Amino acid sequence: MGANTSQVSDLSENQSLRTLIGTVSISDNDPFWNQLISFTFISPTSSQLFIWQAHNTLFMIRCLLKVFIREMTEEELHLQFSYRERVLGSCDTGSEVLLEELMCNLVHLVVEVPLLDITYSILFEAVTTMLVLLSYQLFHKEILRDGLIYQYLMKGRCLSLTSQLVKTLLYNIIRQEKCPPPATHIFEQQSDRRGLLYGLASGVASGLWSVFALGGAGSKPGLEQEQNPLPLSNQSLLLLLVLANLTDGPNNCPNPYRQAVTCFKNTQDMSSVPTEQHHMFQINFNSLYTALCEQQRSDQATLILYTLLHQNTNMRTYMLSRTDMENLVMPILKVLYHVEDRNSHHVYMALIILLILTEEDTFNRSIHEVVLKNITWYSERSLTEISLGSLLILVVIRTIQFNMTRTRDKYLHTNCLAALANMSAQFRCLHQYAAQRIISLFALLSKKHNKILEQATQSLRGLRRADYAQDLNVIEEVIRMMLEIINSCLSNSLHHNPNLVYALLYKRELFEQFRTHPSFQDIMQNLDTVIGFFSQRLEAAGTDLSVERVQEVIMKGAQALPKDRLKKFPELKFRYVEEDQPEDFFIPYVWSLVFNSGVGLNWSPTGIELFSMDSG
């Protein structure tokens, strides 16, 4: 850094850095500044080197900001970026505040500089520096709802660039450009006598790249590149999530970045834009949909998918109209299937996405029409051919069973069952294994119910009995929901689901104990009717029936059972509704993702107040 530094280990002794942090003021036209940001032995003589210096400048600003924000209040940071200059020939002084200027220039950089190999590092630094400027939230336990940087983004000169910034960040996510090698994206190969000096400059730049992008001098570039092959795409996604989840301003002033996220339209949509929609823009929905499908391995990718599904009706309508929904649903099912390896927030958001999708009957019908072959990642059983709908049921039931034995999260139970309930009336041609798993889940719930009942009966202490009574209440609610799901399927699509009837008959004894239970008597009437009807037809068909013969009797009986013999119940329909103050969940979650997944940020856990380290 400066003329005397060629490796990272020398930085602590660098004279230029010592001058920078010293007490002597330096004028803005002092040659020191050019020396400070050169990091090599030569002065810039080409456009590539000017890009390199711009990157170095941003990198230094970002590093200083990280320290300032951890150690200073916003007001103190404001003073660091303010100066007073005596006007020539006058006793008056002029003043200028540069903090807002910095933020606006960063936004201009992101939206105006084209993404090329030689500009990749500058754009990455601009996005990353914006994240650092917003990172005051990390060091506060309470949700920040105002502040200088907040005002710059919400009300200042940056406001007019809101839609352009959101659109650019989305296109960075769509493009998924890999990071070019540091020696080639800033410098061109030289064949003349300057090659040695350019090589030295390139080497220094590579070392600095290792510090900011790869986590420090001791990091292994190959490993980091493998873990973060798309640093700009990742960082853009994190910044978009931070901006979209900023709280609304005072006096009900809406967050403009959330407005932009919620109202953008497809480039192919030629309808007129309502005048009341602010910060609206258009983007290629096909490209965005493809990118969302391809990136559903990380928390942040799942969270942006949730955000668009829940808040942007244009995007939700487009997704539900796709004929290749398996490309979107399969990655979400994989997240849930590998629940043991995921954090609870990621699992929760994946389930909410399924719940939102299952609110639409067109989705619930179409997933049973998509036939999948050889699902290799589902290891419990070989699935050579299964519908997407049956696979979804299998994975959701597996998630419930995992939750019952491990986390026991009531909200996870509720969302799983709500998704199954939304689908139940549209169950079509359930795979044999899916039908079996539905009944197996009911058997597990029944067993748990009986165990709690036995413990409650044996308990002599009044307080403990009260605890058991509460547990019994919860398990009976879940059992009730499962009975309603089975009943909904039988009442609405009995003739489409012979495998469910077969599994129900095979385990009919499970339902005996609930026939007279006051909480289940009404819903049990239909199940009794179905079990009784098919039991009689099987008895009439003779004894020692083969599986094929039983299935034949069931299929014919399903056509013969009068629908009016089954009691009508209200349609099962659940809709996802965010909590009254969603920021209390989403802001800590988003910043935990920035902390854990941001490329080259490497905050120290010391001083982090927004979330505990074990929840990040």
Side-chain angles (χ1 to χ4, degrees):
M1 193 166 287
N4 299 319
T5 297
S6 61
Q7 56 186 353
V8 174
S9 58
D10 296 337
L11 292 179
S12 62
E13 302 300 323
N14 182 272
Q15 187 57 47
S16 295
L17 285 179
R18 288 180 173 274
T19 303
L20 176 67
I21 63 175
T23 58
V24 179
S25 62
I26 307 169
S27 67
D28 56 5
N29 61 353
D30 195 296
F32 162 82
W33 298 110
N34 190 59
Q35 181 187 23
L36 176 69
I37 61 177
S38 292
F39 305 164
T40 188
F41 300 101
I42 58 174
S43 297
T45 57
S46 71
S47 60
Q48 277 82 10
L49 276 170
F50 279 121
I51 289 173
W52 166 54
Q53 284 192 312
H55 160 264
N56 289 349
T57 304
L58 283 172
F59 167 60
M60 290 181 59
I61 291 172
R62 191 245 291 179
C63 291
L64 291 171
L65 281 171
K66 272 186 66 179
V67 178
F68 290 166
I69 287 172
R70 189 180 67 231
E71 303 294 337
M72 299 177 181
T73 65
E74 270 194 306
E75 289 72 21
E76 291 169 332
L77 179 67
H78 176 266
L79 292 176
Q80 294 293 326
F81 280 82
S82 305
Y83 73 93
R84 302 183 69 83
E85 183 177 33
R86 187 173 298 279
V87 179
L88 187 65
S90 171
C91 295
D92 297 329
T93 60
S95 64
E96 187 171 356
V97 178
L98 298 179
L99 191 57
E100 184 174 13
E101 186 76 18
L102 171 62
M103 179 63 87
C104 287
N105 285 336
L106 289 172
V107 175
H108 275 287
L109 265 176
V110 173
V111 302
E112 293 174 6
V113 173
L115 177 53
L116 308 169
D117 277 3
I118 61 170
T119 61
Y120 192 102
S121 59
I122 288 182
L123 293 171
F124 174 87
E125 272 303 322
V127 171
T128 305
T129 305
M130 288 183 69
L131 276 172
V132 171
L133 275 168
L134 288 158
S135 67
Y136 267 109
Q137 180 64 79
L138 278 173
F139 306 98
H140 292 79
K141 195 170 187 65
E142 72 280 3
I143 302 300
L144 299 182
R145 302 176 185 276
D146 204 355
L148 291 172
I149 295 168
Y150 180 98
Q151 290 176 13
Y152 297 154
L153 286 168
M154 296 288 200
K155 303 176 183 177
R157 287 182 288 154
C158 299
L159 184 62
S160 62
L161 296 171
T162 295
S163 59
Q164 290 173 262
L165 178 58
V166 172
K167 183 176 183 177
T168 302
L169 294 176
L170 282 170
Y171 270 123
N172 287 346
I173 297 166
I174 290 170
R175 291 180 65 176
Q176 301 183 66
E177 293 286 349
K178 290 186 177 181
C179 175
T184 59
H185 75 230
I186 299 178
F187 301 95
E188 291 181 345
Q189 294 295 325
Q190 302 291 325
S191 58
D192 59 16
R193 59 190 176 85
R194 296 179 298 165
L196 174 61
L197 292 180
Y198 273 79
L200 289 172
S202 174
V204 177
S206 298
L208 290 167
W209 180 269
S210 296
V211 174
F212 89 82
L214 308 180
S219 298
K220 297 181 179 179
L223 177 62
E224 184 70 20
Q225 283 282 7
E226 182 180 334
Q227 293 175 344
N228 298 294
L230 308 169
L232 180 59
S233 176
N234 180 74
Q235 226 82 330
S236 297
L237 175 50
L238 293 171
L239 178 58
L240 182 59
L241 287 171
V242 169
L243 292 171
N245 284 281
L246 291 173
T247 61
D248 290 338
N251 303 317
N252 296 319
C253 179
N255 173 355
Y257 303 94
R258 186 184 301 122
Q259 285 184 313
V261 166
T262 59
C263 71
F264 68 80
K265 299 170 63 177
N266 194 354
T267 50
Q268 297 179 351
D269 187 349
M270 298 303 163
S271 60
S272 59
V273 179
T275 55
E276 68 273 9
Q277 282 195 345
H278 301 287
H279 312 296
M280 208 288 293
F281 63 91
Q282 291 182 298
I283 199 167
N284 188 307
F285 276 16
N286 180 60
S287 299
L288 181 56
Y289 176 84
T290 301
L292 290 171
C293 293
E294 292 174 350
Q295 297 182 44
Q296 289 307 310
R297 294 177 296 276
S298 66
D299 285 69
Q300 51 266 36
T302 303
L303 185 53
I304 196 65
L305 172 58
Y306 157 80
T307 301
L308 295 178
L309 262 178
H310 177 56
Q311 299 184 7
N312 190 310
T313 55
N314 300 320
M315 193 67 198
R316 181 169 66 247
T317 301
Y318 176 83
M319 289 184 189
L320 289 166
S321 70
R322 295 285 300 209
T323 57
D324 60 348
M325 280 298 293
E326 66 273 17
N327 292 337
L328 184 66
V329 175
M330 287 286 279
I332 297 300
L333 296 185
K334 287 183 183 179
V335 170
L336 294 177
Y337 185 78
H338 298 291
V339 60
E340 302 92 340
D341 305 322
R342 307 291 181 178
N343 68 69
S344 59
H345 288 354
H346 196 181
V347 172
Y348 178 75
M349 297 317 304
L351 278 172
I352 295 302
I353 287 170
L354 289 185
L355 178 55
I356 293 172
L357 291 173
T358 61
E359 290 173 5
E360 303 296 331
D361 286 340
T362 52
F363 172 82
N364 296 329
R365 283 192 297 270
S366 65
I367 55 175
H368 291 288
E369 297 168 2
V370 177
V371 178
L372 307 169
K373 306 279 189 179
N374 300 317
I375 311 301
T376 55
W377 50 265
Y378 192 96
S379 59
E380 276 87 345
R381 179 168 175 154
S382 175
L383 298 176
T384 56
E385 185 174 298
I386 188 172
S387 72
L388 179 60
S390 288
L391 182 62
L392 193 157
I393 292 167
L394 283 176
V395 173
V396 170
I397 288 175
R398 185 181 184 275
T399 306
I400 296 173
Q401 291 175 325
F402 175 84
N403 185 56
M404 288 177 65
T405 58
R406 303 284 184 88
T407 60
R408 299 180 182 179
D409 184 337
K410 182 181 177 182
Y411 290 103
L412 190 145
H413 266 353
T414 301
N415 290 315
C416 285
L417 291 169
L420 289 176
N422 284 346
M423 296 169 59
S424 59
Q426 303 293 336
F427 283 174
R428 292 290 188 276
C429 303
L430 289 184
H431 191 279
Q432 181 181 2
Y433 186 51
Q436 291 171 359
R437 298 307 294 167
I438 291 173
I439 303 303
S440 294
L441 175 58
F442 187 84
L444 183 63
L445 293 169
S446 177
K447 184 178 180 180
K448 190 173 181 65
H449 173 271
N450 293 342
K451 183 178 179 180
I452 295 173
L453 193 60
E454 181 182 354
Q455 290 171 332
T457 304
Q458 293 176 351
S459 177
L460 298 177
R461 288 176 293 176
L463 181 60
R464 194 70 182 126
R465 291 191 69 176
D467 291 339
Y468 282 130
Q470 184 177 3
D471 291 344
L472 198 61
N473 229 19
V474 172
I475 196 67
E476 287 184 352
E477 287 180 8
V478 176
I479 289 174
R480 170 79 191 193
M481 179 72 84
M482 279 301 300
L483 288 172
E484 289 181 342
I485 290 169
I486 295 171
N487 174 71
S488 175
C489 176
L490 297 176
S491 300
N492 292 282
S493 52
L494 176 65
H495 58 289
H496 288 300
N497 291 291
N499 285 331
L500 182 61
V501 176
Y502 185 100
L504 188 67
L505 293 171
Y506 191 73
K507 293 288 186 178
R508 71 188 79 178
E509 72 279 356
L510 286 173
F511 301 91
E512 291 289 335
Q513 63 174 310
F514 300 109
R515 180 177 289 115
T516 57
H517 194 292
S519 298
F520 313 121
Q521 276 182 318
D522 58 338
I523 203 76
M524 279 300 302
Q525 290 179 19
N526 281 353
L527 271 69
D528 280 342
T529 298
V530 171
I531 291 172
F533 176 83
F534 284 99
S535 295
Q536 288 177 1
R537 295 185 75 91
L538 287 172
E539 288 174 7
T543 58
D544 298 326
L545 301 178
S546 65
V547 173
E548 292 76 14
R549 176 58 178 149
V550 172
Q551 290 175 334
E552 181 185 349
V553 171
I554 289 173
M555 292 180 70
K556 289 183 178 179
Q559 302 294 331
L561 177 63
K563 290 185 178 181
D564 57 8
R565 289 187 59 181
L566 299 179
K567 180 182 177 182
K568 293 294 183 183
F569 285 86
E571 181 185 13
L572 291 180
K573 216 59 177 171
F574 294 87
R575 294 201 171 272
Y576 169 71
V577 179
E578 278 188 348
E579 300 289 338
D580 290 339
Q581 293 184 304
E583 63 271 16
D584 292 342
F585 170 81
F586 286 104
I587 290 180
Y589 181 33
V590 168
W591 276 106
S592 74
L593 298 181
V594 177
F595 181 87
N596 288 304
S597 306
V599 180
L601 287 167
N602 308 304
W603 278 288
S604 168
T606 305
I608 301 297
E609 295 286 341
L610 184 61
F611 51 83
S612 61
M613 288 299 107
D614 57 353
S615 69

